[in-house]
Each structure stands twice: as structure tokens, then as C-alpha cells.
Amino acid sequence: MANDTELPVRTLAAPRRAAKRKRASTARRTRAPDQTREAILRAAVAEFAREGYGGARVDRISKAAKSNDRMLYYYFKSKEKLFHQVIEHCYADLVASEEALDLDFSRPRQALAALVAFNWNYYWAHPELLSILASENLFKGRHVRNNIRRSFANTQLGMLERVLQCGIERREFRPDCDRFHLYLSILSLTYFYRANLYTLSSYTQIDLADQEMRRAWLAHVQAMIEDMVKRKE
């Protein structure tokens, strides 16, 4: 009698295991293309950042992504189109990080200082962006036109505009400051130091990567930017 009761259990268990394996196999097939594309893109970011556009090699990207050249060309068509996607990826990450900022607009001076600090800290955390933008400037910016340019600028300028408007309404900021010049000033003062870190350190004989130097420069930039917008009594 024991065998009579056990047989149906085993008979039912086998189809369940087969169905489970089939679902897992289907899930793997569904995930694999996205995972492969993402792996290639991540490897390409590192390769273009390290070698520049001219020095980057497709075979090294494929190898780093644990993929092959055929899959790279399947997803990205060409080295140049892959580079375009790399720039889009870097900009998208920057925009998403900025949009995630939790600024206190009821305290516009502190919000403006936080926006300056965000740019400064982002460049230190993502040096690959600086290298990739240096390559893109050799192309005279042809890959960052249109949708990339609009999405990036709208986010940056939109958040800055909101901070400034709150400061004006609270009579902390002057209403006649040039928004675009302020925007360029923030980017320039945070970007230039980091992008030229090694040559500037050599030229000045000062270790500009030193934590105290970095803190001092950030405080200096924040004071400069606030002075540009604060209301003169």
C-alpha cells in the first residue's frame, strides 16, 4: 500500500520540476540580452574613458564584457554608435543623480551651496565622465546635440532656476543676476579643477587631490557663487 501512495507523488513531482526548469530557462533567455547589452556598455564606458575614442578597441570591450565582437555590433552597430550610447549613458546617470537631489528650497542659500557641492562631488566620483567629454570635444560635440543636450540642460538649468526664484521671493537673492552666467560659473569652477588635476598639481607643486585642498576649494567656490547672487542691502 505504501508504494501505491508514493507513486503518484513522484509522478506529479516530475512535471512540476520540469515546468520550474522551463520557467527558469525562459527567464534566463529573457534577461540575457539586456544583461549582455548592459555589460558591453559598462565595459565601453571604462575603455573609452581610459583610452579615448581613438585608442579604444572593440575587442577589448567585448572581452571585458565577457561577450564577443558579433554581439557588440549586433547591439550597437559600430564603434562610433557605441560611443554615442556611452555618452548618453553618462549623461543619463548625471541627470538621474541630480534629479534625486533632495534640496530644501525654503533655504535657498543652502540649496544653492548643495547644488554646487553636487557638481563638485559628482566629478570626483565619476572621472570617466571627464575623460569621455574630453574625447567628445575633439569631435566638436557632434554626439551631444539634440536630445542629449536638451535633457541635460533642462535638468541643470531648471533646478538652478527654481533655487534662484525661491531666493528672490525670500529677498535673499538679487533678481537681476544672469542665470546663464551663474550656470556656467558653477560648471567651470567645479569642472576645471578636477579635469586638470594632474597638470595643475604639477604646475603649482601642490597636491590638489589632498582632501583639505579639495574642501577649501569647494568652500571657496560656494562663497563665490553666493556672492554673485546675494542681495546687496
Side-chain angles (χ1 to χ4, degrees), residues 13 20 122 157:
K20 187 175 181 180
Y122 192 90
L157 286 170

Side-chain angles (χ1 to χ4, degrees), residues 144-163:
V144 297
R145 295 191 182 106
N146 303 323
N147 63 313
I148 301 176
R149 178 185 61 196
R150 286 194 297 270
S151 63
F152 175 65
N154 287 346
T155 300
Q156 287 262 325
L157 286 170
M159 189 167 291
L160 178 60
E161 179 66 33
R162 187 177 174 190
V163 171

Side-chain angles (χ1 to χ4, degrees), residues 121-152:
N121 291 326
Y122 192 90
Y123 295 142
W124 282 94
H126 298 273
E128 70 280 0
L129 176 64
L130 308 182
S131 298
I132 288 167
L133 290 182
S135 289
E136 175 60 1
N137 274 290
L138 296 177
F139 284 107
K140 299 182 179 180
R142 76 183 186 207
H143 299 103
V144 297
R145 295 191 182 106
N146 303 323
N147 63 313
I148 301 176
R149 178 185 61 196
R150 286 194 297 270
S151 63
F152 175 65

Side-chain angles (χ1 to χ4, degrees), residues 54-72:
R57 286 174 44 183
V58 164
D59 60 329
R60 281 200 299 255
I61 294 171
S62 299
K63 184 177 180 181
K66 295 182 171 59
S67 183
N68 55 65
D69 295 356
R70 181 178 61 83
M71 294 305 295
L72 185 150

Side-chain angles (χ1 to χ4, degrees), residues 183-233:
Y183 168 67
L184 286 183
S185 296
I186 293 172
L187 296 187
S188 300
L189 291 167
T190 53
Y191 184 94
F192 180 83
Y193 183 117
R194 180 65 182 94
N196 297 279
L197 176 68
Y198 303 108
T199 52
L200 285 174
S201 293
S202 178
Y203 178 73
T204 62
Q205 293 297 293
I206 298 171
D207 181 10
L208 297 179
D210 177 74
Q211 288 288 344
E212 190 55 42
M213 291 295 300
R214 290 163 56 176
R215 280 192 292 269
W217 181 251
L218 174 58
H220 175 68
V221 173
Q222 288 170 322
M224 288 180 67
I225 295 301
E226 182 178 339
D227 191 62
M228 290 174 68
V229 301
K230 71 180 180 182
R231 190 182 181 91
K232 304 295 192 294
E233 300 296 342

Side-chain angles (χ1 to χ4, degrees), residues 17-88:
R17 287 195 295 270
K20 187 175 181 180
R21 284 195 298 269
K22 183 177 180 181
R23 287 195 299 271
S25 177
T26 301
R28 281 195 298 271
R29 287 198 301 271
T30 301
R31 289 194 301 266
D34 290 340
Q35 290 174 343
T36 300
R37 187 183 188 281
E38 184 64 24
I40 293 171
L41 189 58
R42 286 197 305 269
V45 170
E47 176 74 7
F48 284 121
R50 185 177 59 252
E51 304 293 340
Y53 180 84
R57 286 174 44 183
V58 164
D59 60 329
R60 281 200 299 255
I61 294 171
S62 299
K63 184 177 180 181
K66 295 182 171 59
S67 183
N68 55 65
D69 295 356
R70 181 178 61 83
M71 294 305 295
L72 185 150
Y73 287 116
Y74 172 79
Y75 287 114
F76 299 101
K77 310 304 180 187
S78 68
K79 178 182 173 180
E80 184 170 5
K81 288 183 178 179
L82 174 58
F83 183 62
H84 191 160
Q85 289 296 311
V86 161
I87 297 176
E88 282 197 353

